[in-house]
Amino acid sequence: MLEEPCFEIVAISGTSAGAMNAGVLADGLRRGGAAEARVTLRQYWEDVGRVPGLAALRGLPSMGGTETWHFDHNPLFLWFDMLNRILSPYQTNPLNYNPLRGLLERIDFEGLRRDTDAARVYICATNVRTGLRRVFVNAELSPDVLLASACLPHMFQAVEIDGELYWDGGYTGNPALAPLYMRTTATDVIVVGINPMVRDTAPRTSRDIINRIDEISFNSTFMLELAAIALVEELLESGAIVQGRFRPMFIHAIGAGATLGSLGASSKLTNDIAFLRHLHEIGRRAAQAWIKENLEAVGRRSTVDLSGLIPTGDNFATVPVAIKQKPGEEAGQT
């Protein structure tokens, strides 16, 4: 996408690993445009691949007998996974070590906070106490903000910011779309999806069931925001509301759901450099295919049909009841 000359990236919304991408991308764009952003993104993920982690397990024998990118049948990983379900990160990681913190020091957060011309960045994290999401903007960016957005609660201690504790933003906004719609001048939003929406078969193992629950919960907040945008689009088209605060927004999506869905749940935990390069190539192919088919639509129309997401009684399990106070009667009397 950064090689495409007709695109100007004015804002990035990211959650979890997407928060890391958003911070590194915006910093690269500010330093030297799209070419520098490509360099900084590649260098960041190459360095992630050099951090000691579960990638070492790939060299160990697995129960499956075949080499894969996941650890679903690896006895040491299964022990590690069971340990994470019994003990909390406050017990297994009392010093609260996070190897990503050092890698994030390359980002010029002060520059992103000060520079009003920098791409707008929106990072979502989940408030542990209230259960609500908080969207951090450029003026609030820091390593803690990015780490909070990617804080999986069974692996890392909650991240404290301004006296509040935060977990992964995927629970409440994956990613947050409203800021792109309400706070930017963007004509188009391109969604890069990494969590499969659809699975052809039902999960049967405990880990696959947990993984599917995570996929559904992480995708649900995103789908609700898309539904809200779809409703606004229909109201604008019907003339029920006029353009002003609300405006058309063209929505596009790039994904490789079938390919990513076949990698296995535990593959999300490996930082094997060869695997990260493999994912990068999958992304390049998906983006190239999308550009070839949809480039002419940018700035003109959506390439994703959102009409099926408009809230109706047919696709929502419960229907809220709206009431209105009668004239001349006080609340409590009706």
Side-chain angles (χ1 to χ4, degrees), residues 239-270:
I241 58 176
V242 296
Q243 291 191 33
R245 184 182 181 192
F246 299 101
R247 60 190 176 86
M249 177 75 82
F250 303 123
I251 307 295
H252 314 279
I254 298 176
T259 302
L260 295 177
S262 67
L263 294 175
S266 60
S267 68
K268 297 178 181 180
L269 296 177
T270 180

Side-chain angles (χ1 to χ4, degrees), residues 119-265:
R120 298 297 88 189
V121 180
Y122 303 103
I123 305 297
C124 183
T126 302
N127 187 304
V128 178
R129 182 179 61 84
T130 66
L132 300 177
R133 84 178 182 190
R134 176 175 173 181
V135 178
F136 295 88
V137 298
N138 288 54
E140 303 167 301
L141 293 180
S142 69
D144 280 340
V145 167
L146 300 189
L147 293 174
S149 182
C151 179
L152 293 172
H154 62 281
M155 295 187 68
F156 298 105
Q157 297 181 26
V159 178
E160 183 174 347
I161 301 173
D162 299 333
E164 293 282 1
L165 296 175
Y166 292 93
W167 280 340
D168 195 295
Y171 299 110
T172 50
N174 195 32
L177 295 181
L180 301 177
Y181 188 86
M182 304 296 293
R183 302 184 189 179
T184 77
T185 59
T187 58
D188 300 70
V189 169
I190 299 178
V191 179
V192 180
I194 61 172
N195 271 323
M197 293 280 190
V198 178
R199 292 278 186 180
D200 293 333
T201 59
R204 293 185 178 273
T205 68
S206 175
R207 167 150 285 279
D208 285 343
I209 291 171
I210 292 173
N211 180 61
R212 187 54 182 157
I213 291 172
D214 286 344
E215 287 176 347
I216 292 171
S217 61
F218 279 10
N219 283 327
S220 63
T221 55
F222 168 68
M223 297 302 290
L224 287 172
E225 285 199 79
L226 279 183
I229 292 176
L231 179 59
V232 170
E233 293 291 327
E234 178 163 284
L235 293 174
L236 285 170
E237 290 179 6
S238 67
I241 58 176
V242 296
Q243 291 191 33
R245 184 182 181 192
F246 299 101
R247 60 190 176 86
M249 177 75 82
F250 303 123
I251 307 295
H252 314 279
I254 298 176
T259 302
L260 295 177
S262 67
L263 294 175

Side-chain angles (χ1 to χ4, degrees), residues 24-146:
V24 175
L25 171 58
D27 183 48
L29 289 172
R30 196 186 74 84
R31 291 176 186 266
E36 180 64 20
R38 291 181 61 206
V39 172
T40 55
L41 280 167
R42 176 176 287 276
Q43 188 60 57
Y44 173 78
W45 285 104
E46 290 279 340
D47 288 345
V48 168
R50 295 186 182 97
V51 173
L54 292 179
L57 293 182
R58 287 201 65 224
L60 299 172
S62 74
M63 294 179 182
T66 57
E67 184 180 12
T68 61
W69 292 115
H70 64 77
F71 312 119
D72 290 359
H73 305 294
N74 186 292
L76 284 181
F77 173 77
L78 295 175
W79 174 83
F80 171 81
D81 182 53
M82 182 180 67
L83 192 66
N84 270 343
R85 301 189 196 192
I86 298 173
L87 302 177
S88 83
Y90 296 88
Q91 297 167 298
T92 58
N93 186 11
L95 298 179
N96 201 22
Y97 170 69
N98 190 322
L100 296 182
R101 183 176 292 278
L103 299 184
L104 296 176
E105 292 177 355
R106 73 192 63 210
I107 299 175
D108 181 6
F109 289 101
E110 180 61 28
L112 289 175
R113 289 192 291 262
R114 284 188 292 100
D115 191 347
T116 57
D117 292 328
R120 298 297 88 189
V121 180
Y122 303 103
I123 305 297
C124 183
T126 302
N127 187 304
V128 178
R129 182 179 61 84
T130 66
L132 300 177
R133 84 178 182 190
R134 176 175 173 181
V135 178
F136 295 88
V137 298
N138 288 54
E140 303 167 301
L141 293 180
S142 69
D144 280 340
V145 167
L146 300 189

